[in-house]
Amino acid sequence: MAKILLEMKNITKTFPGVKALDNVNLQVEEGEIHALVGENGAGKSTLMNVLSGIYPYGTYEGDIVYDGEICQFSTIKDSEGKGIVIIHQELALIPYMTIGENMFLGNERGHKYKINWNETNARTAELLKTVGLKESPQTLIKDIGVGKQQLVEIAKALAKNAKLLILDEPTASLNETDSKALLELLLKLKKEGLTSIIISHKLNEVSYVADKITVIRDGATIETLDKEKDDISESRIIKGMVGRELSDRFPKREPHIGEVMMEVKGWNVYHPLYAERKVVDNVNISVKKGEVVGISGLMGAGRTELAMSLFGKSYGDNISGQLFINGKEVHLNSVQEAIKNKLAYVTEDRKGNGLILSNPIKINTTLANLDAISQHGIIDKDKEYSVAVEYKDKLKTKCPTVEQNVGNLSGGNQQKVLLAKWMFADPDILILDEPTRGIDVGAKYEIYCIINQLVAEGKSVIMISSELPEILGMCDRIYVMNEGKIVGELKGSEATQELIMSHILKSGSKGE
């Protein structure tokens, strides 16, 4: 029988008014990949923060037994000293430092007052080779893509002599190719004896890579599934996560599509820093009243650039083309003008650009439409509160009170607050950029229901998503985008993943 490397016994962690973990138990064998799954707010990240010393000993109840001894970590340095290294969803790399500098930051090679750069760069090169990267140690982090940055984080963990690697949503921001490369690397490192714990909402990836899967629901351990003995299909994992069968991932909708609400003709956008680089190239699209239109494509296809340039020219330079709303040409030169013309953009970056994490739910909910809760420029606090409560109830946002800071909510509930913010602005057209990124299957279903409700009310929705099943399950019509151009248009009822990918691949081969 394999050796138990880690055992977490009866872990209980309480925050003011909330029991985040309730007698959670977890066993991880040496040399296995162990997945932690559960809905947003189930307690997965909290459990890993307890393990890594981010929540120090004394702030929780229960025991951590690692490599045969009881551990009482006070800081993250303590856990790293034992070979437990955590990689968070938000990467902790410094863009204007080199890969080598990032790799050994806080763990420098050399003497107390002098860094040995030769040793630093030589060791970095070795570690980069281990994770399959051919970059120079002197390359700046800002000059490599997110997929490569994720691999640098793993190399950085290996530089700390990791024996147990914890990855929190490692593929959330990666495209399919980069995700596959990362999973293959984990399997390779497993063969070399590394033990991993992976937290992920991408259940197909979990089924592919994990030896065992522990399901956490409402802060409690529900079950552990073993690949060798149990069914670990996506539907079986979902049942454990949500407590019931989820027979249909996408809620049914009877479309009632009306006249064209928005039309874009000959739209061109250039990169704001590299003036010669065209990121949106002669795009023509439209969306009708009561319609969900999808924009599909690989990362870097220009989808977000298109969306942001339409939303009050909030991205891009030298923008040209025509934009019509309700048959009338409009010139939206600012975000305020876009909002005034009933256009909303729900950003893919909810933490960076969408929400003010240090502010309460009530302030975030009303931000895009302050006029509606103000008189003579003074905010009516009672109205602000009642609006926030109304949207909390409408969107079933889980929170003790709308006075709670948004930063303390789970990803799915943050996404609902972001949607509430734009719904309160009362737009006719909503552009939703990756609306379910990084959230669990139950919260996704609730977001899909909100989208269906919006179009049932006669709104128009443009949905950008990297998840092809989501595009196919939700959209009436789909535009395929590649290298800044629209390379295909499909009816939702006729579209398949293969058809979408063939449009992308054909268009790529023409440009070579």
Side-chain angles (χ1 to χ4, degrees):
M1 191 176 160
K3 173 187 166 186
I4 302 293
L5 180 66
L6 169 73
E7 192 166 7
M8 299 184 80
K9 297 178 177 179
N10 306 116
I11 303 293
T12 298
K13 170 73 180 163
T14 306
F15 296 104
V18 182
K19 192 177 257 192
L21 298 172
D22 188 2
N23 278 306
V24 170
N25 294 287
L26 176 69
Q27 270 193 359
V28 179
E29 290 182 359
E30 193 170 53
E32 76 175 1
I33 299 175
H34 197 113
L36 268 186
V37 300
E39 296 189 85
N40 287 100
K44 308 177 298 291
S45 296
T46 304
L47 185 66
M48 292 301 98
N49 287 341
V50 165
L51 172 58
S52 58
I54 292 168
Y55 297 140
Y57 176 73
T59 65
Y60 61 88
E61 295 166 36
D63 290 317
I64 296 170
V65 183
Y66 177 73
D67 211 5
E69 65 176 281
I70 292 179
C71 296
Q72 299 175 345
F73 302 132
S74 297
T75 66
I76 199 162
K77 278 277 184 199
D78 293 345
S79 63
E80 287 184 351
K82 293 281 186 186
I84 300 170
V85 183
I86 186 166
I87 299 173
H88 295 281
Q89 187 174 347
E90 280 80 29
L91 300 181
L93 299 170
I94 298 170
Y96 284 90
M97 288 177 80
T98 67
I99 293 174
E101 287 167 336
N102 271 279
M103 189 85 76
F104 290 99
L105 194 60
N107 181 30
E108 286 79 7
R109 307 290 91 183
H111 304 294
K112 196 170 184 181
Y113 300 108
K114 191 178 180 186
I115 293 171
N116 184 331
W117 289 112
N118 288 334
E119 188 188 336
T120 298
N121 289 327
R123 183 74 181 119
T124 299
E126 281 174 39
L127 290 162
L128 291 178
K129 194 175 176 187
T130 302
V131 300
L133 275 180
K134 293 175 182 169
E135 272 23 65
S136 158
Q138 283 150 336
T139 302
L140 294 179
I141 290 293
K142 74 175 184 66
D143 294 332
I144 61 173
V146 182
K148 289 182 178 179
Q149 287 180 28
Q150 191 68 265
L151 296 178
V152 168
E153 280 280 23
I154 293 175
K156 187 177 174 181
L158 298 177
K160 295 173 183 173
N161 300 315
K163 293 186 187 120
L164 173 61
L165 183 62
I166 305 162
L167 302 108
D168 193 350
E169 296 289 353
T171 64
S173 302
L174 304 188
N175 62 30
E176 212 167 306
T177 309
D178 288 341
S179 296
K180 190 82 187 337
L182 188 137
L183 297 176
E184 294 299 342
L185 173 61
L186 286 183
L187 291 168
K188 172 181 168 255
L189 293 172
K190 174 189 154 183
K191 282 181 187 167
E192 292 167 13
L194 185 72
T195 309
S196 302
I197 297 174
I198 180 171
I199 297 173
S200 180
H201 291 310
K202 296 186 179 179
L203 300 184
N204 59 326
E205 295 180 358
V206 166
S207 300
Y208 176 68
V209 84
D211 300 296
K212 290 201 186 79
I213 300 160
T214 294
V215 180
I216 296 180
R217 187 165 76 235
D218 298 329
T221 317
I222 300 301
E223 60 187 347
T224 295
L225 303 171
D226 187 330
K227 196 177 214 168
E228 296 293 314
K229 307 169 194 165
D230 302 310
D231 171 16
I232 60 160
S233 63
E234 288 184 51
S235 56
R236 175 64 188 84
I237 299 168
I238 289 166
K239 187 182 176 186
M241 283 169 60
V242 302
R244 64 185 193 281
E245 298 278 356
L246 200 59
S247 52
D248 201 338
R249 295 273 196 97
F250 304 100
K252 293 281 182 277
R253 170 170 56 89
E254 192 63 52
H256 298 286
I257 295 168
E259 67 278 6
V260 172
M261 183 73 87
M262 182 174 94
E263 193 170 8
V264 178
K265 291 183 177 178
W267 199 257
N268 298 287
V269 181
Y270 286 82
H271 195 284
L273 297 178
Y274 307 104
E276 72 294 338
R277 192 171 140 212
K278 204 183 220 187
V279 288
V280 176
D281 190 353
N282 195 33
V283 162
N284 298 285
I285 62 168
S286 66
V287 58
K288 294 172 182 170
K289 192 172 181 175
E291 184 180 38
V292 180
V293 167
I295 302 183
S296 182
L298 303 176
M299 271 196 176
R303 298 166 303 165
T304 294
E305 292 82 351
L306 169 64
M308 289 180 71
S309 65
L310 292 170
F311 186 61
K313 298 184 178 172
S314 48
Y315 172 89
D317 213 357
N318 194 15
I319 297 169
S320 63
Q322 293 176 290
L323 174 60
F324 298 86
I325 292 178
N326 276 324
K328 181 185 161 197
E329 187 170 2
V330 292
H331 302 278
L332 311 180
N333 294 312
S334 69
V335 167
Q336 288 80 359
E337 285 180 19
I339 294 169
K340 210 176 279 183
N341 281 273
K342 301 283 193 177
L343 177 62
Y345 169 65
V346 179
T347 174
E348 64 177 333
D349 181 9
R350 60 177 172 261
K351 290 187 176 180
N353 297 329
L355 298 165
I356 304 172
L357 299 182
S358 58
N359 277 6
I361 293 164
K362 64 177 186 180
I363 287 176
N364 277 277
T365 302
T366 55
L367 263 181
N369 192 8
L370 290 175
D371 287 348
I373 56 156
S374 307
Q375 210 164 14
H376 310 302
I378 297 166
I379 291 171
D380 181 334
K381 294 288 181 185
D382 291 338
K383 208 166 186 185
E384 178 185 64
Y385 183 86
S386 65
V387 164
V389 169
E390 180 193 334
Y391 278 92
K392 167 192 171 290
D393 294 342
K394 199 173 182 178
L395 273 58
K396 298 177 186 158
T397 308
K398 288 179 190 165
C399 59
T401 164
V402 294
E403 303 284 357
Q404 186 176 17
N405 282 355
V406 169
N408 296 333
L409 298 178
S410 67
N413 287 306
Q414 286 181 0
Q415 192 66 20
K416 287 181 184 179
V417 175
L418 183 58
L419 277 169
K421 166 183 155 181
W422 288 109
M423 285 165 70
F424 181 56
D426 194 28
D428 290 332
I429 305 140
L430 287 97
I431 304 173
L432 308 179
D433 197 348
E434 302 286 0
T436 67
R437 172 174 285 168
I439 64 176
D440 65 79
V441 69
K444 279 183 178 183
Y445 190 87
E446 290 176 349
I447 300 281
Y448 299 148
C449 289
I450 293 163
I451 293 169
N452 282 355
Q453 180 192 327
L454 289 167
V455 290
E457 290 166 7
K459 312 277 188 197
S460 305
V461 170
I462 295 174
M463 184 177 183
I464 297 169
S465 176
S466 300
E467 293 190 31
L468 289 180
E470 181 169 85
I471 286 279
L472 296 168
M474 287 299 296
C475 299
D476 301 301
R477 216 161 29 94
I478 299 160
Y479 288 107
V480 185
M481 198 167 180
N482 193 38
E483 295 173 355
K485 298 184 179 78
I486 298 294
V487 296
E489 182 183 346
L490 306 163
K491 284 183 186 170
S493 56
E494 295 171 0
T496 62
Q497 292 197 34
E498 292 75 21
L499 204 49
I500 289 171
M501 286 311 296
S502 73
H503 278 288
I504 291 168
L505 295 170
K506 277 180 198 166
S507 66
S509 60
K510 282 176 195 167
E512 285 175 2

